[in-house]
Amino acid sequence: MGYHEEKYVKEAFDTNWVAPLGPNVDLFEKAIGDYLGEGLHVAALSSGTAAIHLGLQLLGVSAGDEVICQSFTFSASANPICYLGATPVFVDSEADTWNLSPILLEQAIKERIALGKRPRAIVAVHLYGMPYKIAEVRQVADTYGIPILEDSAEALGSSYKGVKCGGFGDIGILSFNGNKIITTSGGGALIARKEALKKDAVFLATQARDEAPHYQHSAVGYNYRMSNVLAGIGRGQMEVLDERVVARRANYDFYKRHLGHLRGYEFLDEPEGSFSNRWLSCVLTPSFEAREEIRLALMKENIESRPLWKPMHLQPVFSEAASYTDGTSEALFDRGLCLPSGSNLVEEDLERIVTLILNTRS
Ligand SMILES: *Cc1c(COP(=O)(O)O)cnc(C)c1O
């Protein structure tokens, strides 16, 4: 936590605003909106997953549709497609950002259209905080008139050509889950370019209550709004977001400085114009075996590390889904490791980790 979270949570108690609405919710949304700039509108929700669910619905996804989704991601990018009765079609990554390949994306869209199944939306992800190929993905999407759901759950604080991630999609989403760069313990947000879209999101997130003195509903709603108590945590967290980005980037720089020269080790540099929050520091090791040796050596010292995300097209739950792949994400999954990346790591911790990794090579 930062400096003022408890104060804002106490405000919620002192004023008895213990509900999924209230001043902290409004002020947290305003803080995010001010941070992202570009006149964006923010709806604070109960999770990033809820935001993706509402976002896809607001983009028009419904039962029987197909939705293209980056394969190399966390399952929460894809699960809401299924909640809506739609079907995911997975597309592989490219090597420069580890995100959605614009070439495979276009190939997939063309083939789905030829099969009579025009995709309803594209879920593109800024994985580990690295912006996806914003301009190229946008160009493909616009060529075929398909909207983008920008999954920025891992990329608050990242930017592309000076513009913050979260506002590049037709709808964007953020996550404030406990493992993200800032947290409300659990929470998320939907980012909209137009205020009317935010209003629609809030309407659906609060049980779709029509305007009437009694309870009346003409749509199926959800209970997806953020609690005013948790939004108090969020207000405090927004004050330290920039510090967190500096700390996370310093972790990455340290690892790269001490491991980057080793044969077979690779780090993902920022392509021109991209700025990553370096939510997690990831390294590609020489091989699956080397990766496992490092992971187990760290685990022996009670230090957690984890393989990169297992691609969705390899997940048992999505074994039936169509996919357009070229081996990129499978190779990343094979060789890649997320190193300890907390904002509170000190130089001593990082030195210990690096020494253990170097020792696996002797
Ligand atoms: C964390 C995460 C989500 C889901 O966010 P929750 O707030 O945990 O529901 C979605 N997509 C990606 C890429 C994530 O990392």
Side-chain angles (χ1 to χ4, degrees):
M1 289 291 105
Y3 314 108
H4 297 132
E5 286 85 350
E6 273 190 279
K7 181 177 93 182
Y8 299 133
V9 169
K10 188 165 181 299
E11 273 177 33
F13 279 77
D14 291 346
T15 55
N16 213 21
W17 277 103
V18 180
L21 79 168
N24 278 339
V25 173
D26 298 338
L27 289 166
F28 183 37
E29 288 177 343
K30 183 171 183 315
I32 300 166
D34 289 348
Y35 184 84
L36 297 176
E38 308 289 307
L40 294 166
H41 300 276
V42 179
L45 300 172
S46 54
S47 71
T49 309
I52 296 172
H53 188 183
L54 289 184
L56 289 174
Q57 181 168 331
L58 290 168
L59 291 178
V61 174
S62 62
D65 288 339
E66 284 193 350
V67 174
I68 290 188
C69 183
Q70 182 167 322
S71 183
F72 192 46
T73 187
F74 177 50
S75 64
S77 304
N79 285 335
I81 298 168
C82 304
Y83 304 165
L84 289 164
T87 309
V89 173
F90 294 111
V91 171
D92 215 332
S93 292
E94 43 76 28
D96 300 341
T97 70
W98 297 358
N99 293 314
L100 202 57
S101 157
I103 294 164
L104 290 174
L105 173 65
E106 179 152 32
Q107 196 184 313
I109 292 172
K110 277 185 175 160
E111 192 172 316
R112 300 325 286 176
I113 290 175
L115 291 168
K117 300 175 187 172
R118 170 179 287 273
R120 244 336 159 118
I122 298 163
V123 180
V125 188
H126 308 298
L127 213 62
Y128 302 117
M130 182 65 77
Y132 62 74
K133 291 203 159 163
I134 305 284
E136 292 87 341
V137 169
R138 171 52 70 189
Q139 203 205 327
V140 174
D142 286 355
T143 299
Y144 298 92
I146 303 170
I148 298 172
L149 187 294
E150 177 193 3
D151 182 344
S152 201
E154 302 179 0
L156 182 55
S158 300
S159 58
Y160 176 71
K161 293 193 173 164
V163 179
K164 293 277 193 309
C165 288
F168 292 113
D170 294 274
I171 288 178
I173 73 97
L174 300 171
S175 167
F176 310 108
N177 196 49
N179 59 340
K180 299 305 199 288
I181 192 153
I182 62 164
T183 183
T184 58
S185 81
L190 184 144
I191 317 293
R193 298 211 192 142
K194 295 209 173 87
E195 190 166 16
L197 198 58
K198 176 202 162 161
K199 281 202 173 133
D200 290 347
V202 171
F203 171 77
L204 287 173
T206 50
Q207 309 286 20
R209 282 169 61 182
D210 296 342
E211 269 191 55
H214 52 276
Y215 278 80
Q216 177 161 306
H217 310 272
S218 31
V220 173
Y222 305 92
N223 182 5
Y224 275 175
R225 200 72 163 120
M226 177 176 279
S227 156
N228 192 58
V229 178
L230 299 184
I233 303 177
R235 281 179 68 194
Q237 288 275 283
M238 282 306 289
E239 295 171 1
V240 296
L241 172 56
D242 284 334
E243 286 174 31
R244 297 292 148 87
V245 173
V246 169
R248 300 259 169 168
R249 285 176 63 86
N251 290 339
Y252 174 86
D253 290 341
F254 187 97
Y255 288 128
K256 189 178 172 197
R257 206 160 54 241
H258 290 85
L259 303 170
H261 61 284
L262 301 177
R263 217 190 146 102
Y265 283 66
E266 286 176 59
F267 286 82
L268 186 66
D269 289 328
E270 291 159 320
E272 169 129 25
S274 293
F275 178 88
S276 171
N277 67 6
R278 297 293 184 190
W279 172 57
L280 297 188
S281 288
C282 305
V283 62
L284 297 183
T285 66
S287 64
F288 171 79
E289 290 74 20
R291 204 274 312 276
E292 280 304 281
E293 201 183 337
I294 294 168
R295 191 178 66 78
L296 296 171
L298 293 175
M299 193 158 79
K300 238 169 106 185
E301 296 294 316
N302 203 23
I303 298 169
E304 186 186 18
S305 66
R306 204 173 286 193
L308 301 190
W309 297 121
K310 180 171 180 172
M312 291 305 113
H313 70 275
L314 300 180
Q315 298 286 355
V317 66
F318 296 124
S319 58
E320 307 279 286
S323 63
Y324 295 81
T325 62
D326 63 5
T328 301
S329 62
E330 293 184 33
L332 292 170
F333 174 57
D334 230 35
R335 289 173 53 203
L337 192 65
C338 300
L339 297 167
S341 301
S343 312
N344 53 358
L345 289 174
V346 295
E347 189 128 324
E348 208 174 70
D349 299 323
L350 294 166
E351 269 164 14
R352 215 176 124 220
I353 294 158
V354 162
T355 304
L356 286 163
I357 294 173
L358 291 172
N359 283 345
T360 60
R361 302 176 64 253
S362 49

